[in-house]
Amino acid sequence: MYNLLKGKRGIIFGALDENSIAWKTAERVHEEGGTFVLTNAPVAMRMGQINELAEKTGSQIIPADATSEEDLKNLVEQSMEILGGKIDFVLHSIGMSINVRKGKHYTDQNYAWTQKGTDVSAMSFHKVMQTLYKADAMNEWGSIVALTYMAAQRVFPDYNDMADNKAYLESVARSFGYFFGRDKNVRVNTISQSPTPTTAGSGVKGFDGFIAYADKMSPLGNATALDCANYTVSLFSDLTKRVTLQNLFHDGGFSNMGVSDAVMSAFVEAEDKK
């Protein structure tokens, strides 16, 4: 441990269970000396084990619906009171698609579900930052990070409307990040993570197969949830003070690959068996 976050205070959204990136990040932030408030939607908290994480890290939990401006205002006010000052870091690790969950094809969406997913997965990021911005709740050189996926740039058919949500999320990070940087010297970035076997990710059709494919395509293999937590810690730290408005690929090199020897060999072998 390097004490990279000693004395820093933050809010971590989205820790559900020990498989989630937000959970791993909370553990690593705690190990690096940071203190934080944990938050999730009340319905998600009933599904997960967030109380266990709070006890382990000595953190308090504030339930909040990230789509509710009232809940977010209360969350920010209470967090500063509990932590004893302004916020240094925020992790937005929230995503949801009812269309994916209900098995609706991208070409046959239920638009009420689509709108709900967009609100939860992307617009919530704008609402979080707007709340922080208006309250002047972030310390100078603070860091805000959201988790995304490369389906925002490339076609992954079974990722469905979550791809659109992630594209929106990344745009919000750049646009709001400009104002947060200009006015308050606060950094805003997104991490485009490898496919990771989390509770949320497992809802995507064919996800296990794609994890294996991505691992074969990536020269360094897939980045794990713990790897992502470590990368997030670096972005929360003072070592990355001038990094902002970036979508940072954390995927073992997958995003720059066309094909790998391993994938090509598997394809040729399958063809030979026909």
Side-chain angles (χ1 to χ4, degrees):
M1 308 314 158
Y2 307 98
N3 278 327
L4 288 175
L5 303 179
K6 186 177 181 180
K8 293 191 181 296
R9 302 176 283 248
I11 302 173
I12 296 178
F13 287 81
L16 182 66
D17 56 39
E18 61 184 5
N19 295 316
S20 68
I21 293 171
W23 184 291
K24 299 293 186 187
T25 301
E27 291 179 329
R28 287 294 294 117
V29 168
H30 176 66
E31 290 168 354
E32 292 295 342
T35 57
F36 48 85
V37 164
L38 294 165
T39 185
N40 212 328
V43 64
M45 291 176 60
R46 289 195 295 270
M47 293 166 52
Q49 298 96 41
I50 195 171
N51 289 322
E52 177 187 329
L53 179 63
E55 185 176 345
K56 181 177 182 180
T57 59
S59 305
Q60 291 195 41
I61 304 167
I62 303 176
D65 177 354
T67 68
S68 165
E69 294 175 71
E70 183 179 350
D71 278 15
L72 290 173
K73 183 179 179 182
N74 177 65
L75 169 66
V76 170
E77 289 175 353
Q78 280 198 44
S79 294
M80 288 194 290
E81 185 176 333
I82 290 167
L83 297 171
K86 290 187 178 184
I87 304 302
D88 297 292
F89 60 85
V90 175
L91 176 65
H92 179 283
S93 180
I94 306 170
M96 183 275 292
S97 168
I98 304 174
N99 284 307
V100 169
R101 192 186 303 161
K102 300 283 190 178
K104 292 288 283 184
H105 196 269
Y106 186 77
T107 60
D108 183 33
Q109 292 187 38
N110 177 317
Y111 290 118
W113 295 350
T114 304
Q115 189 170 17
K116 179 63 176 176
T118 299
D119 198 17
V120 171
S121 305
M123 195 178 294
S124 66
F125 192 39
H126 192 287
K127 291 178 181 179
V128 167
M129 288 197 285
Q130 182 168 288
T131 303
L132 292 163
Y133 183 90
K134 285 185 173 182
D136 193 25
M138 294 293 296
N139 274 322
E140 192 175 34
W141 302 113
S143 176
I144 301 171
V145 173
L147 299 182
T148 185
Y149 183 55
M150 200 174 69
Q153 291 86 32
R154 301 186 188 178
V155 177
F156 294 84
D158 291 327
Y159 205 61
N160 209 308
D161 58 330
M162 275 303 298
D164 302 329
N165 294 337
K166 293 302 188 185
Y168 183 10
L169 177 84
E170 291 175 17
S171 179
V172 167
R174 289 187 295 270
S175 297
F176 216 122
Y178 166 75
F179 295 105
F180 242 136
R182 183 196 69 181
D183 299 338
K184 306 191 185 277
N185 281 341
V186 170
R187 301 162 274 162
V188 181
N189 296 287
T190 54
I191 296 176
S192 188
Q193 167 71 359
S194 295
T196 309
T198 62
T199 301
S202 62
V204 178
K205 179 183 174 184
F207 196 67
D208 290 344
F210 184 67
I211 287 179
Y213 167 77
D215 199 49
K216 287 182 179 295
M217 276 286 287
S218 308
L220 296 180
N222 288 334
T224 66
L226 179 57
D227 292 330
C228 190
N230 286 326
Y231 194 39
T232 304
V233 164
S234 76
L235 290 173
F236 286 165
S237 79
D238 291 336
L239 298 178
T240 52
K241 286 175 68 172
R242 302 288 178 178
V243 180
T244 196
L245 311 186
Q246 302 302 308
N247 180 46
L248 301 159
F249 289 101
H250 185 252
D251 59 9
F254 180 89
S255 49
N256 271 329
M257 291 297 296
V259 71
S260 69
D261 292 337
V263 168
M264 184 59 73
S265 295
F267 174 76
V268 170
E269 183 179 338
E271 287 294 300
D272 288 344
K273 288 180 178 178
K274 287 184 178 178

